[in-house]
Amino acid sequence: MNRDNSSELFPVVDETGRVVGCATRGECHDGRRLLHPVVHLHLFNSRGELYLQKRPLWKDIQPGRWDTAVGGHVDYGETPDEALRREVREELGVTEFTPERLTQYIFDSVRERELVYVNRTVYDGPVTPSDETDGGRFWTIGEILRTLGTGLFTPNFESEFRRVFLTDDGIA
């Protein structure tokens, strides 16, 4: 059975993203709340639909829920841009895309603290989900809006979707 490697090394960063140390995945996810960087990619197609992945049941955080197309940790010694390219290739099999950095913020929960680098791209090529996911599909924005708050999505995705894409005037 697949499982996360609890001894994998992550950088520990300050709120600006400067590396101040390192810790294992286990230490970052065990409630110590060590701030560690992650990358997210929101993958849209040219019709404006958003690809979401389904998290496998073996994941240590939010198993079985729908989540951002790509979300992954920055490995120790790696830049966020390098991590983004690696994670997109590993999770979706996509190598040719142009990311646009939208924002960064701190995600804070009882179990962990993450410095999240949020990116988006428009992509109409093939998507080949790996066994790091339980597949995925493109969702219309209407489907997403109707499903928010039902427990189908990760709290991380819902929070980020609201923060980045919902405005007082509708969808950004």
Side-chain angles (χ1 to χ4, degrees), residues 64-143:
R65 291 192 176 182
W66 289 90
D67 202 0
T68 308
V70 173
H73 291 89
V74 176
D75 288 338
Y76 188 70
E78 188 176 46
T79 69
D81 290 337
E82 291 166 340
L84 180 66
R85 294 242 171 235
R86 176 182 51 78
E87 289 288 345
V88 173
R89 182 182 66 252
E90 288 175 2
E91 292 184 9
L92 301 181
V94 173
T95 57
E96 299 298 320
F97 68 101
T98 304
E100 172 191 356
R101 175 78 47 84
L102 297 177
T103 191
Q104 68 186 53
Y105 67 92
I106 294 176
F107 176 79
D108 209 344
S109 75
V110 175
R111 191 168 174 185
E112 66 176 334
R113 284 182 77 218
E114 297 177 329
L115 178 59
V116 183
Y117 293 90
V118 182
N119 301 272
R120 74 175 302 240
T121 196
V122 175
Y123 177 80
D124 286 316
V127 175
T128 310
S130 75
D131 64 358
E132 287 189 36
T133 74
D134 269 353
R137 71 175 180 92
F138 282 97
W139 295 63
T140 67
I141 299 304
E143 286 178 301

Side-chain angles (χ1 to χ4, degrees), residues 10-14 16-22 37 74-78:
F10 296 157
V12 174
V13 298
D14 66 16
T16 68
R18 186 176 60 86
V19 176
V20 296
C22 70
V74 176
D75 288 338
Y76 188 70
E78 188 176 46

